[in-house]
Amino acid sequence: MKPLPQTRMSVDEYLAWSEANPGRYELVQGEVYAMTPERVLHAEVKAAAYVALRRSIRAAALPCRAMPDGMTVRIDTRTAYEPDALVYCGPRRDPNSVEVPNPIIVVEVSSPSTRRTDASEKLAGYFQVPSIHHYMMIDPDRRMVIHHHRVGNEVETAFLQEGTLVLDPPGLELPIAFLFEEP
């Protein structure tokens, strides 16, 4: 395994570096961080979230796409995250792209090691991106969704364990139970 770069880099430099260095990474204030291995529960909930979003997009017949983890979201010139799932609307992205510049929904599945970062740095970071209207933090241990959503210039938060989450824009209805279905 190659060591992580010791110099700070821009998102553009990071994207070029990451294509030549297989693995899971994020860039935070110019520094590359390797992502930790996942528990089975984390991976199952992450897969369920992607499938649930995709199913809801199809049910609503929206011109949007759900993407699994692996896509980069640029926060600013020196920070880029790789959410566990996301949704963007509009034309299909270039098939060779590794970045989604205009997501409307981002999802992070929390784990004991990421819970604090997901609820602080990533919460603040994701809402710096003007296109992002919804940030869902899914807690697989508590079977809970913490839904942060943009309302004008404010961000409101709801805690859900059941029912249906309405994600508007873009106009999705997402049953909470779908987020915890076994693949």
Side-chain angles (χ1 to χ4, degrees):
M1 178 195 268
K2 290 183 178 182
L4 297 178
Q6 298 303 305
T7 59
R8 291 186 183 267
M9 59 179 73
S10 70
V11 172
D12 290 331
E13 293 166 330
Y14 162 75
L15 291 173
W17 175 87
S18 67
E19 285 197 57
N21 290 277
R24 299 179 63 238
Y25 307 98
E26 289 186 321
L27 183 71
V28 179
Q29 297 177 2
E31 291 185 49
V32 176
Y33 289 89
M35 296 172 75
T36 60
E38 297 176 343
R39 299 179 300 156
V40 168
L41 179 60
H42 185 101
E44 287 177 345
V45 171
K46 183 169 67 170
Y50 164 70
V51 170
L53 287 165
R54 190 169 181 193
R55 183 187 316 173
S56 295
I57 289 167
R58 287 183 175 167
L62 293 172
C64 302
R65 291 183 183 269
M67 303 295 292
D69 75 327
M71 301 309 304
T72 300
V73 174
R74 182 184 306 244
I75 303 303
D76 58 33
T77 59
R78 296 219 174 260
T79 301
Y81 297 139
E82 186 180 300
D84 289 322
L86 63 80
V87 170
Y88 73 92
C89 298
R92 183 172 186 246
R93 299 283 309 145
D94 176 340
N96 295 313
S97 178
V98 296
E99 180 181 3
V100 174
N102 57 346
I104 195 164
I105 300 167
V106 290
V107 177
E108 293 285 357
V109 177
S110 296
S111 65
S113 66
T114 66
R115 197 166 280 128
R116 179 179 289 157
T117 301
D118 292 346
S120 57
E121 289 97 352
K122 286 189 176 183
L123 172 59
Y126 280 133
F127 282 106
Q128 288 180 40
V129 179
S131 66
I132 294 176
H133 285 268
H134 306 276
Y135 170 37
M136 297 182 341
M137 294 171 27
I138 302 174
D139 184 332
D141 297 317
R142 295 184 184 117
R143 295 181 65 87
M144 178 185 297
V145 177
I146 304 168
H147 174 227
H148 304 283
H149 62 284
R150 192 184 304 266
V151 178
N153 292 327
E154 304 289 323
V155 174
E156 294 183 0
T157 301
F159 298 83
L160 303 131
Q161 289 184 298
E162 57 187 27
T164 298
L165 183 57
V166 176
L167 301 168
D168 194 25
L172 296 180
E173 291 188 8
L174 185 64
I176 299 300
F178 286 5
L179 298 170
F180 299 101
E181 284 185 343
E182 291 189 22

